[in-house]
Coordinates of all heavy atoms in Angstrom, one line a residue:
M1 N 0.8 -1.2 0.0 CA 0.0 0.0 0.0 C 0.9 1.2 0.0 O 1.8 1.3 0.8 CB -0.9 0.0 1.2 CG -1.7 1.2 1.4 SD -2.9 0.9 2.8 CE -2.9 2.5 3.5
S2 N 0.6 2.2 -0.9 CA 1.4 3.4 -0.9 C 0.5 4.6 -0.4 O -0.7 4.6 -0.6 CB 1.9 3.7 -2.3 OG 0.8 4.1 -3.1
I3 N 1.2 5.4 0.3 CA 0.5 6.6 0.8 C 1.0 7.8 0.0 O 2.2 8.1 -0.1 CB 0.8 6.8 2.3 CG1 0.3 5.6 3.1 CG2 0.2 8.1 2.8 CD1 0.7 5.7 4.6
P4 N 0.1 8.5 -0.7 CA 0.5 9.6 -1.5 C 1.1 10.7 -0.7 O 0.8 10.9 0.4 CB -0.8 10.1 -2.2 CG -1.9 9.5 -1.4 CD -1.4 8.3 -0.7
G5 N 2.1 11.4 -1.3 CA 2.7 12.5 -0.7 C 1.8 13.7 -0.6 O 0.7 13.7 -1.2
E6 N 2.2 14.7 0.1 CA 1.4 15.9 0.2 C 1.2 16.5 -1.1 O 2.2 16.6 -1.9 CB 2.1 16.9 1.2 CG 1.3 18.1 1.4 CD 2.0 19.0 2.4 OE1 2.6 18.5 3.4 OE2 2.0 20.2 2.2
Q7 N 0.0 16.9 -1.4 CA -0.3 17.6 -2.7 C -0.9 18.9 -2.4 O -1.7 19.1 -1.4 CB -1.2 16.7 -3.5 CG -0.6 15.4 -3.9 CD -1.6 14.5 -4.6 OE1 -2.7 14.9 -5.0 NE2 -1.2 13.3 -4.9
T8 N -0.7 19.9 -3.3 CA -1.3 21.2 -3.2 C -2.8 21.1 -3.7 O -3.1 20.3 -4.6 CB -0.5 22.2 -3.9 OG1 -1.2 23.5 -3.8 CG2 -0.5 21.9 -5.4
T9 N -3.6 21.9 -3.0 CA -5.0 21.9 -3.5 C -5.3 23.1 -4.3 O -6.4 23.3 -4.9 CB -6.0 22.0 -2.3 OG1 -5.7 23.1 -1.5 CG2 -5.9 20.7 -1.5
D10 N -4.3 24.0 -4.5 CA -4.5 25.2 -5.3 C -4.8 24.8 -6.7 O -4.0 24.1 -7.4 CB -3.2 26.1 -5.2 CG -3.5 27.5 -5.8 OD1 -4.7 28.0 -5.7 OD2 -2.6 28.1 -6.3
G11 N -5.9 25.3 -7.2 CA -6.3 24.9 -8.6 C -7.1 23.7 -8.7 O -7.6 23.3 -9.8
L12 N -7.3 22.9 -7.6 CA -8.1 21.7 -7.6 C -9.6 22.0 -7.8 O -10.1 22.9 -7.2 CB -7.9 20.9 -6.4 CG -8.7 19.6 -6.2 CD1 -8.3 18.6 -7.3 CD2 -8.6 19.1 -4.8
V13 N -10.2 21.3 -8.7 CA -11.7 21.4 -8.9 C -12.2 20.0 -8.8 O -11.8 19.1 -9.4 CB -12.0 22.0 -10.3 CG1 -13.5 22.0 -10.5 CG2 -11.4 23.4 -10.5
M14 N -13.3 19.9 -7.9 CA -14.0 18.6 -7.8 C -15.4 18.8 -8.3 O -16.0 19.8 -8.0 CB -13.9 18.1 -6.3 CG -12.5 17.9 -5.8 SD -12.4 17.1 -4.2 CE -13.4 18.2 -3.2
I15 N -15.9 17.8 -9.0 CA -17.2 18.0 -9.7 C -18.0 16.7 -9.4 O -17.6 15.6 -9.6 CB -16.9 18.1 -11.2 CG1 -16.0 19.3 -11.5 CG2 -18.2 18.2 -12.0 CD1 -15.4 19.3 -12.9
A16 N -19.3 17.0 -9.0 CA -20.2 15.9 -8.8 C -21.4 16.1 -9.8 O -22.0 17.2 -9.8 CB -20.7 15.9 -7.4
L17 N -21.7 15.1 -10.6 CA -22.7 15.2 -11.6 C -24.1 14.8 -10.9 O -24.1 13.7 -10.3 CB -22.5 14.4 -12.8 CG -21.2 14.6 -13.6 CD1 -21.1 13.7 -14.7 CD2 -21.2 16.1 -14.1
R18 N -25.1 15.6 -11.1 CA -26.4 15.3 -10.7 C -27.4 15.5 -11.9 O -28.2 16.4 -11.9 CB -26.9 16.1 -9.5 CG -26.0 15.9 -8.2 CD -26.3 14.5 -7.7 NE -25.5 14.3 -6.5 CZ -24.5 13.5 -6.4 NH1 -24.1 12.8 -7.5 NH2 -23.8 13.3 -5.3
I19 N -27.2 14.7 -12.9 CA -27.9 14.9 -14.2 C -28.7 13.7 -14.4 O -28.2 12.6 -14.6 CB -26.9 15.1 -15.3 CG1 -26.0 16.3 -15.0 CG2 -27.6 15.3 -16.6 CD1 -24.8 16.6 -16.0
R20 N -30.0 13.9 -14.4 CA -31.0 12.8 -14.6 C -31.1 12.4 -16.1 O -31.3 11.2 -16.4 CB -32.3 13.2 -14.0 CG -32.3 13.4 -12.5 CD -33.7 13.8 -12.1 NE -33.5 14.6 -10.9 CZ -33.8 15.9 -10.8 NH1 -34.2 16.6 -11.8 NH2 -33.5 16.6 -9.7
D21 N -31.2 13.4 -16.9 CA -31.4 13.1 -18.4 C -30.1 12.3 -18.9 O -29.0 12.8 -18.8 CB -31.5 14.4 -19.1 CG -31.8 14.2 -20.6 OD1 -32.9 13.9 -21.0 OD2 -30.8 14.3 -21.4
E22 N -30.4 11.2 -19.4 CA -29.3 10.3 -19.9 C -28.4 10.9 -21.0 O -27.2 10.8 -20.9 CB -29.9 9.0 -20.4 CG -28.9 7.8 -20.4 CD -29.6 6.5 -20.6 OE1 -30.7 6.2 -20.1 OE2 -29.0 5.7 -21.4
D23 N -29.1 11.5 -22.0 CA -28.3 12.2 -23.1 C -27.4 13.3 -22.6 O -26.2 13.4 -22.9 CB -29.2 12.7 -24.2 CG -29.9 11.6 -24.9 OD1 -29.4 10.4 -25.0 OD2 -31.0 11.8 -25.4
R24 N -28.0 14.2 -21.7 CA -27.2 15.3 -21.2 C -26.1 14.7 -20.3 O -25.0 15.3 -20.3 CB -28.1 16.2 -20.4 CG -28.9 17.1 -21.3 CD -29.6 18.2 -20.4 NE -30.3 19.1 -21.3 CZ -31.6 19.0 -21.6 NH1 -32.3 18.1 -21.1 NH2 -32.1 19.9 -22.4
R25 N -26.4 13.7 -19.5 CA -25.3 13.1 -18.6 C -24.2 12.6 -19.5 O -23.0 12.8 -19.2 CB -25.9 12.0 -17.7 CG -24.9 11.5 -16.7 CD -25.5 10.5 -15.8 NE -26.3 9.4 -16.4 CZ -27.6 9.2 -16.4 NH1 -28.3 10.0 -15.7 NH2 -28.1 8.2 -17.0
E26 N -24.5 11.9 -20.5 CA -23.5 11.3 -21.4 C -22.6 12.5 -22.1 O -21.4 12.3 -22.2 CB -24.1 10.4 -22.5 CG -24.6 9.1 -21.9 CD -23.5 8.3 -21.2 OE1 -22.3 8.2 -21.7 OE2 -23.7 7.8 -20.1
Q27 N -23.3 13.5 -22.5 CA -22.6 14.7 -23.0 C -21.6 15.3 -22.0 O -20.4 15.6 -22.3 CB -23.5 15.8 -23.5 CG -24.3 15.4 -24.7 CD -25.2 16.5 -25.1 OE1 -24.8 17.7 -25.3 NE2 -26.5 16.2 -25.2
A28 N -22.1 15.4 -20.7 CA -21.2 16.0 -19.7 C -20.0 15.0 -19.4 O -18.9 15.5 -19.3 CB -22.0 16.2 -18.4
I29 N -20.3 13.7 -19.3 CA -19.2 12.8 -19.1 C -18.2 12.8 -20.2 O -17.0 12.8 -19.9 CB -19.8 11.4 -18.9 CG1 -20.6 11.3 -17.6 CG2 -18.7 10.3 -19.0 CD1 -21.4 10.0 -17.4
H30 N -18.7 12.9 -21.4 CA -17.8 12.9 -22.6 C -16.9 14.2 -22.5 O -15.7 14.1 -22.7 CB -18.6 12.9 -23.9 CG -17.7 13.0 -25.1 ND1 -16.9 11.9 -25.5 CD2 -17.5 14.0 -26.0 CE1 -16.3 12.2 -26.6 NE2 -16.6 13.5 -26.9
R31 N -17.5 15.3 -22.2 CA -16.8 16.6 -22.0 C -15.7 16.5 -20.9 O -14.6 16.8 -21.1 CB -17.7 17.7 -21.8 CG -17.1 19.1 -21.7 CD -16.8 19.6 -23.1 NE -16.4 21.0 -23.0 CZ -16.6 21.9 -24.0 NH1 -17.3 21.5 -25.1 NH2 -16.2 23.1 -23.9
L32 N -16.1 15.9 -19.8 CA -15.2 15.8 -18.7 C -14.0 14.8 -19.0 O -12.9 15.1 -18.6 CB -15.9 15.4 -17.4 CG -16.7 16.5 -16.7 CD1 -17.7 15.8 -15.7 CD2 -15.9 17.5 -16.1
E33 N -14.4 13.8 -19.7 CA -13.3 12.8 -20.0 C -12.3 13.3 -21.0 O -11.3 12.7 -21.2 CB -14.0 11.4 -20.4 CG -14.6 10.8 -19.2 CD -15.3 9.5 -19.5 OE1 -15.5 9.1 -20.7 OE2 -15.6 8.8 -18.5
N34 N -12.7 14.3 -21.7 CA -11.8 15.0 -22.7 C -10.9 16.1 -22.0 O -10.1 16.7 -22.7 CB -12.5 15.5 -23.9 CG -12.9 14.4 -24.9 OD1 -12.1 13.6 -25.3 ND2 -14.2 14.3 -25.2
L35 N -11.2 16.3 -20.8 CA -10.3 17.2 -20.0 C -9.4 16.3 -19.2 O -9.6 15.1 -19.0 CB -11.2 18.0 -19.0 CG -12.2 19.0 -19.6 CD1 -13.1 19.6 -18.6 CD2 -11.5 20.1 -20.4
P36 N -8.3 16.9 -18.6 CA -7.4 16.1 -17.8 C -8.0 15.8 -16.4 O -7.5 16.3 -15.4 CB -6.1 17.0 -17.7 CG -6.7 18.4 -17.8 CD -7.9 18.3 -18.7
T37 N -9.0 14.9 -16.4 CA -9.7 14.6 -15.1 C -9.3 13.2 -14.6 O -8.9 12.4 -15.4 CB -11.2 14.7 -15.3 OG1 -11.6 13.7 -16.3 CG2 -11.7 16.1 -15.6
E38 N -9.6 13.1 -13.4 CA -9.5 11.7 -12.7 C -10.9 11.5 -12.3 O -11.6 12.4 -11.8 CB -8.5 11.7 -11.6 CG -7.1 11.8 -12.0 CD -6.1 11.6 -10.9 OE1 -6.5 10.9 -9.9 OE2 -5.0 12.2 -11.0
R39 N -11.3 10.2 -12.3 CA -12.7 9.8 -11.9 C -12.5 8.8 -10.7 O -12.5 7.6 -11.0 CB -13.4 9.2 -13.1 CG -14.8 8.8 -12.7 CD -15.5 8.3 -14.0 NE -16.7 7.6 -13.6 CZ -17.4 6.8 -14.5 NH1 -17.0 6.8 -15.8 NH2 -18.4 6.2 -14.1
P40 N -12.5 9.3 -9.5 CA -12.3 8.4 -8.4 C -13.5 7.5 -8.2 O -13.4 6.3 -7.7 CB -12.2 9.3 -7.1 CG -12.5 10.7 -7.6 CD -12.5 10.7 -9.0
F41 N -14.7 7.9 -8.5 CA -15.9 7.0 -8.5 C -16.9 7.6 -9.5 O -16.9 8.7 -9.9 CB -16.4 6.7 -7.1 CG -16.7 8.0 -6.3 CD1 -17.9 8.6 -6.3 CD2 -15.7 8.5 -5.5 CE1 -18.1 9.8 -5.6 CE2 -15.9 9.6 -4.7 CZ -17.1 10.2 -4.8
R42 N -17.9 6.8 -9.8 CA -19.0 7.2 -10.7 C -19.6 8.5 -10.4 O -20.1 8.8 -9.3 CB -20.0 6.1 -10.8 CG -21.1 6.3 -11.8 CD -22.2 5.2 -11.7 NE -23.4 5.7 -12.3 CZ -23.9 5.2 -13.4 NH1 -23.4 4.1 -13.9 NH2 -25.0 5.7 -13.9
G43 N -19.7 9.4 -11.4 CA -20.3 10.7 -11.2 C -19.5 11.7 -10.5 O -20.0 12.8 -10.2
F44 N -18.3 11.5 -10.2 CA -17.4 12.4 -9.5 C -16.1 12.5 -10.2 O -15.5 11.5 -10.6 CB -17.2 11.9 -8.1 CG -16.6 13.0 -7.2 CD1 -17.4 13.9 -6.5 CD2 -15.2 13.0 -7.0 CE1 -16.9 14.8 -5.7 CE2 -14.7 14.0 -6.1 CZ -15.5 14.9 -5.5
Y45 N -15.7 13.8 -10.4 CA -14.4 14.0 -11.2 C -13.6 15.0 -10.5 O -14.1 15.9 -9.7 CB -14.8 14.6 -12.6 CG -15.5 13.6 -13.5 CD1 -16.8 13.4 -13.4 CD2 -14.8 12.8 -14.4 CE1 -17.5 12.5 -14.2 CE2 -15.4 11.9 -15.2 CZ -16.8 11.7 -15.1 OH -17.4 10.8 -15.8
E46 N -12.3 14.9 -10.7 CA -11.3 15.8 -10.1 C -10.4 16.3 -11.2 O -10.0 15.5 -12.1 CB -10.4 15.2 -9.0 CG -11.2 14.7 -7.8 CD -10.3 14.0 -6.9 OE1 -9.1 13.7 -7.2 OE2 -10.8 13.6 -5.8
L47 N -10.0 17.6 -11.2 CA -9.0 18.1 -12.1 C -8.3 19.3 -11.5 O -8.8 19.9 -10.6 CB -9.6 18.4 -13.5 CG -10.5 19.7 -13.6 CD1 -10.3 20.3 -15.0 CD2 -11.9 19.3 -13.4
S48 N -7.2 19.6 -12.1 CA -6.4 20.8 -11.6 C -6.4 21.8 -12.7 O -6.1 21.5 -13.9 CB -5.0 20.4 -11.2 OG -4.3 21.6 -10.9
I49 N -6.8 23.0 -12.4 CA -6.8 24.1 -13.4 C -5.7 25.1 -13.1 O -5.7 26.2 -13.6 CB -8.2 24.8 -13.5 CG1 -8.6 25.4 -12.2 CG2 -9.2 23.8 -14.0 CD1 -9.8 26.3 -12.2
A50 N -4.8 24.7 -12.2 CA -3.7 25.6 -11.7 C -2.9 26.2 -12.9 O -2.5 27.3 -12.9 CB -2.8 24.9 -10.7
D51 N -2.7 25.4 -13.9 CA -1.8 25.8 -15.0 C -2.6 26.1 -16.3 O -2.1 26.3 -17.3 CB -0.7 24.8 -15.3 CG -1.3 23.4 -15.7 OD1 -2.5 23.2 -15.6 OD2 -0.5 22.6 -16.1
W52 N -3.9 26.3 -16.1 CA -4.8 26.6 -17.3 C -4.7 28.1 -17.6 O -4.5 28.9 -16.7 CB -6.2 26.3 -17.0 CG -6.6 24.9 -17.1 CD1 -5.7 23.8 -16.8 CD2 -7.9 24.3 -17.3 NE1 -6.4 22.6 -16.9 CE2 -7.7 22.9 -17.2 CE3 -9.1 24.9 -17.6 CZ2 -8.8 22.1 -17.4 CZ3 -10.2 24.0 -17.8 CH2 -10.0 22.6 -17.7
D53 N -4.8 28.5 -18.8 CA -4.8 29.9 -19.2 C -6.1 30.5 -18.6 O -7.1 29.9 -18.4 CB -4.9 30.1 -20.7 CG -3.5 29.7 -21.4 OD1 -2.5 29.7 -20.7 OD2 -3.6 29.4 -22.6
E54 N -6.0 31.8 -18.3 CA -7.1 32.5 -17.7 C -8.3 32.5 -18.6 O -8.2 32.7 -19.8 CB -6.7 34.0 -17.4 CG -7.7 34.8 -16.6 CD -7.2 36.1 -16.2 OE1 -6.0 36.3 -16.0 OE2 -8.1 37.0 -16.1
G55 N -9.4 32.2 -18.0 CA -10.7 32.2 -18.8 C -11.1 30.8 -19.3 O -12.3 30.6 -19.7
L56 N -10.2 29.8 -19.3 CA -10.5 28.5 -19.9 C -11.5 27.8 -19.0 O -12.5 27.2 -19.5 CB -9.3 27.6 -20.1 CG -8.4 28.0 -21.3 CD1 -7.2 27.1 -21.3 CD2 -9.2 28.0 -22.6
W57 N -11.4 27.8 -17.7 CA -12.3 27.2 -16.8 C -13.7 27.8 -16.9 O -14.7 27.1 -17.0 CB -11.9 27.1 -15.4 CG -12.9 26.5 -14.5 CD1 -13.6 27.2 -13.4 CD2 -13.4 25.2 -14.5 NE1 -14.5 26.3 -12.9 CE2 -14.4 25.1 -13.5 CE3 -13.2 24.1 -15.3 CZ2 -15.1 23.9 -13.3 CZ3 -13.9 22.9 -15.1 CH2 -14.9 22.8 -14.1
E58 N -13.7 29.1 -17.1 CA -15.0 29.9 -17.2 C -15.7 29.4 -18.5 O -16.9 29.3 -18.5 CB -14.8 31.4 -17.2 CG -14.4 31.9 -15.8 CD -12.9 31.7 -15.4 OE1 -12.1 31.2 -16.3 OE2 -12.6 31.9 -14.3
E59 N -15.0 29.1 -19.5 CA -15.5 28.6 -20.8 C -16.2 27.2 -20.6 O -17.3 27.0 -21.1 CB -14.5 28.5 -21.9 CG -14.0 29.8 -22.4 CD -12.9 29.7 -23.5 OE1 -12.7 28.6 -24.0 OE2 -12.2 30.7 -23.7
E60 N -15.6 26.4 -19.8 CA -16.1 25.1 -19.5 C -17.4 25.2 -18.6 O -18.4 24.6 -18.9 CB -15.1 24.2 -18.7 CG -13.9 23.8 -19.5 CD -14.2 23.1 -20.8 OE1 -15.2 22.3 -20.8 OE2 -13.5 23.2 -21.8
V61 N -17.4 26.1 -17.7 CA -18.6 26.4 -16.8 C -19.7 26.9 -17.7 O -20.9 26.4 -17.6 CB -18.3 27.4 -15.7 CG1 -19.5 27.8 -15.0 CG2 -17.3 26.8 -14.7
A62 N -19.4 27.7 -18.7 CA -20.5 28.2 -19.6 C -21.0 27.1 -20.4 O -22.2 27.0 -20.7 CB -19.9 29.4 -20.5
W63 N -20.2 26.2 -20.9 CA -20.6 25.1 -21.7 C -21.6 24.2 -20.9 O -22.7 23.8 -21.4 CB -19.4 24.2 -22.2 CG -19.8 23.2 -23.1 CD1 -20.0 23.3 -24.5 CD2 -20.3 21.8 -22.8 NE1 -20.4 22.1 -25.0 CE2 -20.6 21.2 -24.0 CE3 -20.4 21.1 -21.6 CZ2 -21.0 19.8 -24.0 CZ3 -20.8 19.8 -21.6 CH2 -21.1 19.2 -22.8
F64 N -21.2 23.9 -19.6 CA -22.1 23.1 -18.8 C -23.4 23.8 -18.5 O -24.4 23.2 -18.4 CB -21.3 22.7 -17.5 CG -20.3 21.6 -17.7 CD1 -19.0 21.9 -17.5 CD2 -20.6 20.3 -18.1 CE1 -18.0 20.9 -17.7 CE2 -19.7 19.3 -18.3 CZ -18.4 19.6 -18.1
S65 N -23.3 25.1 -18.3 CA -24.5 25.9 -18.0 C -25.5 25.8 -19.2 O -26.7 25.7 -19.0 CB -24.1 27.4 -17.7 OG -23.4 27.5 -16.6
D66 N -24.9 26.0 -20.4 CA -25.8 25.8 -21.6 C -26.4 24.4 -21.7 O -27.5 24.3 -22.1 CB -24.9 26.1 -22.9 CG -24.6 27.6 -23.0 OD1 -25.2 28.4 -22.3 OD2 -23.7 27.9 -23.8
L67 N -25.6 23.4 -21.4 CA -26.1 22.0 -21.4 C -27.3 21.8 -20.5 O -28.2 21.1 -20.9 CB -25.0 21.1 -21.1 CG -25.3 19.6 -21.0 CD1 -25.6 19.0 -22.4 CD2 -24.2 18.8 -20.3
L68 N -27.2 22.4 -19.3 CA -28.3 22.2 -18.3 C -29.4 23.2 -18.3 O -30.3 23.1 -17.6 CB -27.6 22.2 -16.9 CG -26.6 21.1 -16.7 CD1 -26.0 21.2 -15.3 CD2 -27.1 19.7 -17.0
E69 N -29.3 24.2 -19.2 CA -30.3 25.3 -19.2 C -31.7 24.7 -19.5 O -31.9 23.8 -20.3 CB -30.0 26.3 -20.4 CG -30.9 27.5 -20.4 CD -30.5 28.5 -21.4 OE1 -29.4 28.5 -21.9 OE2 -31.3 29.4 -21.7
G70 N -32.6 25.2 -18.6 CA -34.0 24.7 -18.8 C -34.3 23.4 -18.2 O -35.4 22.8 -18.3
T71 N -33.3 22.8 -17.5 CA -33.5 21.5 -16.8 C -33.5 21.7 -15.3 O -33.2 22.8 -14.8 CB -32.5 20.5 -17.2 OG1 -31.2 20.8 -16.5 CG2 -32.3 20.4 -18.7
R72 N -33.8 20.7 -14.6 CA -33.7 20.7 -13.1 C -32.4 20.0 -12.7 O -32.2 19.7 -11.5 CB -34.9 20.0 -12.5 CG -36.2 20.8 -12.8 CD -37.3 20.6 -11.8 NE -36.8 20.9 -10.5 CZ -37.3 20.3 -9.4 NH1 -38.3 19.5 -9.5 NH2 -36.8 20.6 -8.2
D73 N -31.6 19.7 -13.6 CA -30.3 19.0 -13.3 C -29.3 20.0 -12.9 O -29.4 21.2 -13.1 CB -29.8 18.2 -14.5 CG -30.7 17.1 -14.9 OD1 -31.4 16.5 -14.1 OD2 -30.8 16.8 -16.1
R74 N -28.2 19.5 -12.3 CA -27.1 20.4 -11.8 C -25.8 19.6 -11.7 O -25.7 18.4 -11.7 CB -27.5 20.9 -10.4 CG -27.6 19.8 -9.4 CD -28.1 20.4 -8.1 NE -28.4 19.2 -7.2 CZ -28.4 19.2 -5.9 NH1 -28.0 20.3 -5.3 NH2 -28.7 18.2 -5.2
I75 N -24.8 20.4 -11.6 CA -23.4 20.0 -11.4 C -22.9 20.7 -10.1 O -23.0 22.0 -10.1 CB -22.5 20.2 -12.6 CG1 -23.0 19.4 -13.8 CG2 -21.1 19.9 -12.2 CD1 -22.3 19.7 -15.1
I76 N -22.4 20.0 -9.2 CA -21.9 20.7 -8.0 C -20.4 20.7 -8.1 O -19.8 19.8 -8.4 CB -22.3 19.9 -6.7 CG1 -23.8 19.7 -6.6 CG2 -21.8 20.6 -5.4 CD1 -24.3 18.7 -5.6
V77 N -19.9 21.9 -7.8 CA -18.4 22.2 -8.0 C -17.8 22.7 -6.7 O -18.4 23.6 -6.1 CB -18.2 23.2 -9.2 CG1 -16.7 23.5 -9.3 CG2 -18.8 22.8 -10.4
W78 N -16.7 22.1 -6.4 CA -15.8 22.6 -5.3 C -14.5 23.1 -6.0 O -13.8 22.3 -6.6 CB -15.5 21.6 -4.3 CG -16.7 21.1 -3.5 CD1 -17.1 21.6 -2.3 CD2 -17.6 20.0 -3.9 NE1 -18.2 20.9 -1.9 CE2 -18.5 19.9 -2.8 CE3 -17.7 19.2 -5.0 CZ2 -19.6 19.0 -2.9 CZ3 -18.7 18.3 -5.0 CH2 -19.6 18.2 -4.0
Q79 N -14.2 24.4 -5.8 CA -13.0 25.0 -6.5 C -12.1 25.5 -5.4 O -12.5 26.4 -4.6 CB -13.4 26.0 -7.5 CG -12.3 26.6 -8.3 CD -12.7 27.5 -9.4 OE1 -13.9 27.6 -9.7 NE2 -11.8 28.1 -10.0
F80 N -10.9 25.0 -5.4 CA -9.9 25.3 -4.3 C -8.9 26.4 -4.8 O -8.4 26.3 -6.0 CB -9.1 24.1 -3.9 CG -10.0 23.1 -3.2 CD1 -10.8 22.2 -3.9 CD2 -10.0 23.0 -1.8 CE1 -11.6 21.3 -3.2 CE2 -10.8 22.1 -1.1 CZ -11.6 21.3 -1.8
T81 N -8.7 27.4 -4.0 CA -7.7 28.4 -4.3 C -7.0 28.7 -3.0 O -7.6 29.0 -2.0 CB -8.4 29.7 -4.8 OG1 -9.2 29.4 -5.9 CG2 -7.3 30.7 -5.2
D82 N -5.7 28.6 -3.0 CA -4.9 28.8 -1.8 C -5.4 27.8 -0.8 O -5.4 26.6 -1.0 CB -4.9 30.2 -1.3 CG -4.3 31.2 -2.3 OD1 -3.3 30.8 -3.0 OD2 -4.9 32.3 -2.5
D83 N -5.7 28.2 0.4 CA -6.2 27.4 1.5 C -7.7 27.4 1.7 O -8.2 27.0 2.7 CB -5.5 27.7 2.8 CG -4.0 27.5 2.8 OD1 -3.6 26.5 2.1 OD2 -3.3 28.2 3.5
T84 N -8.4 27.8 0.7 CA -9.9 27.9 0.8 C -10.5 27.3 -0.4 O -9.9 27.0 -1.4 CB -10.3 29.4 0.9 OG1 -10.0 30.1 -0.3 CG2 -9.7 30.1 2.1
Y85 N -11.8 27.1 -0.3 CA -12.6 26.6 -1.4 C -13.9 27.3 -1.5 O -14.4 27.8 -0.6 CB -12.8 25.0 -1.4 CG -13.8 24.6 -0.3 CD1 -15.1 24.4 -0.7 CD2 -13.4 24.3 1.0 CE1 -16.1 24.0 0.2 CE2 -14.4 23.8 1.9 CZ -15.7 23.7 1.5 OH -16.6 23.3 2.4
T86 N -14.4 27.2 -2.8 CA -15.7 27.8 -3.0 C -16.6 26.6 -3.6 O -16.1 25.9 -4.4 CB -15.7 28.9 -4.1 OG1 -14.8 29.9 -3.6 CG2 -17.0 29.5 -4.4
R87 N -17.8 26.5 -3.1 CA -18.7 25.5 -3.6 C -19.8 26.3 -4.3 O -20.4 27.2 -3.8 CB -19.4 24.7 -2.4 CG -20.4 23.7 -2.8 CD -21.1 23.1 -1.6 NE -22.0 22.1 -2.0 CZ -23.3 22.3 -2.4 NH1 -23.7 23.5 -2.5 NH2 -24.1 21.3 -2.7
Y88 N -20.1 25.8 -5.5 CA -21.2 26.4 -6.3 C -21.8 25.4 -7.2 O -21.3 24.2 -7.3 CB -20.7 27.6 -7.1 CG -19.5 27.3 -8.1 CD1 -19.8 27.0 -9.4 CD2 -18.2 27.4 -7.7 CE1 -18.7 26.8 -10.3 CE2 -17.2 27.2 -8.5 CZ -17.4 26.9 -9.9 OH -16.4 26.6 -10.7
T89 N -23.0 25.7 -7.7 CA -23.8 24.8 -8.5 C -23.9 25.4 -9.9 O -24.2 26.6 -10.1 CB -25.2 24.6 -7.9 OG1 -25.0 24.1 -6.6 CG2 -26.0 23.6 -8.7
I90 N -23.8 24.5 -10.9 CA -24.0 24.9 -12.3 C -25.4 24.2 -12.6 O -25.6 23.0 -12.4 CB -23.0 24.3 -13.2 CG1 -21.6 24.9 -12.9 CG2 -23.3 24.6 -14.7 CD1 -20.5 24.2 -13.6
G91 N -26.3 25.0 -13.1 CA -27.7 24.5 -13.4 C -28.6 24.9 -12.3 O -28.3 25.5 -11.3
E92 N -29.9 24.7 -12.6 CA -31.0 25.2 -11.7 C -31.6 24.1 -10.8 O -32.5 24.4 -10.0 CB -32.1 25.8 -12.6 CG -31.6 26.9 -13.5 CD -32.6 27.3 -14.5 OE1 -33.8 26.9 -14.4 OE2 -32.2 28.1 -15.4
G93 N -31.1 22.9 -10.8 CA -31.7 21.8 -10.1 C -31.6 22.0 -8.6 O -30.7 22.7 -8.1
A94 N -32.5 21.4 -7.9 CA -32.6 21.6 -6.5 C -32.2 20.3 -5.8 O -32.1 19.3 -6.4 CB -34.0 21.9 -6.0

């Protein structure tokens, strides 16, 4: 068993999919799998945007927002910067 070394959380983004519509869910999964993500378990993704150009993550958020527009589905995001994180939701789902 190996214990991973200390890792920085700056730029870490964790994403939980809560998308009921099968077609939209598959589109979201396909989009995430084309990003440098890790999938520790079904419906949950991790990626680091620390070295991304400014504005690229905002473009991804806009794409997901468009995908979920008019639905009750959502994507929950935890975005880490320095020693803090922000939790927000993409989509209108409850």
Side-chain angles (χ1 to χ4, degrees):
M1 176 173 142
S2 71
I3 299 174
E6 184 177 322
Q7 298 178 7
T8 180
T9 58
D10 192 30
L12 176 66
V13 176
M14 298 187 307
I15 301 163
L17 300 180
R18 297 291 180 251
I19 303 174
R20 294 178 210 112
D21 180 82
E22 202 171 317
D23 291 333
R24 283 190 177 95
R25 185 175 54 247
E26 288 302 317
Q27 288 179 56
I29 290 170
H30 180 73
R31 183 77 173 211
L32 286 166
E33 289 179 349
N34 283 307
L35 296 174
T37 59
E38 291 186 29
R39 182 178 162 189
F41 51 89
R42 183 183 159 117
F44 193 85
Y45 293 82
E46 298 177 353
L47 72 148
S48 176
I49 60 171
D51 60 351
W52 286 25
D53 291 337
E54 188 173 328
L56 286 180
W57 175 243
E58 289 77 10
E59 289 177 18
E60 295 299 327
V61 170
W63 186 90
F64 287 113
S65 295
D66 290 345
L67 176 70
L68 300 179
E69 185 174 344
T71 72
R72 296 201 56 204
D73 295 331
R74 65 188 167 149
I75 297 172
I76 304 166
V77 179
W78 293 266
Q79 187 170 348
F80 292 79
T81 306
D82 299 322
D83 292 329
T84 62
Y85 74 90
T86 303
R87 180 189 180 276
Y88 57 93
T89 302
I90 302 170
E92 302 171 9

